[in-house]
Amino acid sequence: MLLPSYGGAIYATQYYDYTFPIVIQKSTFHNMRANEGGSVYLYMNDVEASIYGGVSLQNNSFNNSTSVSEGGAVVILVENSKAFTIDVTNNTFENCSAGAYGGGLVIEGLGGNFLVTHKKEEDNY
């Protein structure tokens, strides 16, 4: 079976001035697979988030999401961005796995503010 390279369900990018807030709320991701970011892969580069927004994942459920490499459920990659805000609140990660690291969630990058609070995290590896 051919897997999506990034994000089994959602792949979104933000570049320079061509950007918008990314908000994913009250969604269920079940049995998703990808090489990176089993369910969701978000990539931001050279974004001034205080002007253009940030990322918000709230009240979502990630069940049985798997990636070959990193981020069994979610990968958020931020490069060369300033004042970037990532809010990951009240999400459920269950039975998610990654071949390398981040069974449930991976946040990588420089130059931002990260708020991560979990509702439930169970059996992620």
Side-chain angles (χ1 to χ4, degrees), residues 8-99:
I10 296 173
Y11 172 79
T13 62
Q14 293 182 334
Y15 288 98
Y16 314 108
D17 294 341
Y18 307 103
T19 190
F20 47 89
I22 295 175
V23 178
I24 302 172
Q25 295 179 331
K26 300 178 184 176
S27 298
T28 299
F29 300 90
H30 186 70
N31 290 333
M32 303 304 301
R33 309 275 184 268
N35 286 320
E36 293 185 28
S39 295
V40 176
Y41 189 97
L42 306 175
Y43 175 73
M44 284 59 67
N45 191 353
D46 274 340
V47 175
E48 179 65 58
S50 60
I51 299 169
Y52 299 111
V55 171
S56 177
L57 299 176
Q58 297 180 348
N59 302 305
N60 299 293
S61 178
F62 299 92
N63 301 304
N64 300 313
S65 291
T66 302
S67 74
V68 174
S69 180
E70 61 182 332
V74 178
V75 170
I76 301 172
L77 175 58
V78 180
E79 294 182 336
N80 305 314
S81 297
K82 300 174 186 171
F84 201 87
T85 300
I86 297 173
D87 179 7
V88 179
T89 305
N90 293 327
N91 296 281
T92 300
F93 297 88
E94 292 185 85
N95 299 314
C96 298
S97 64

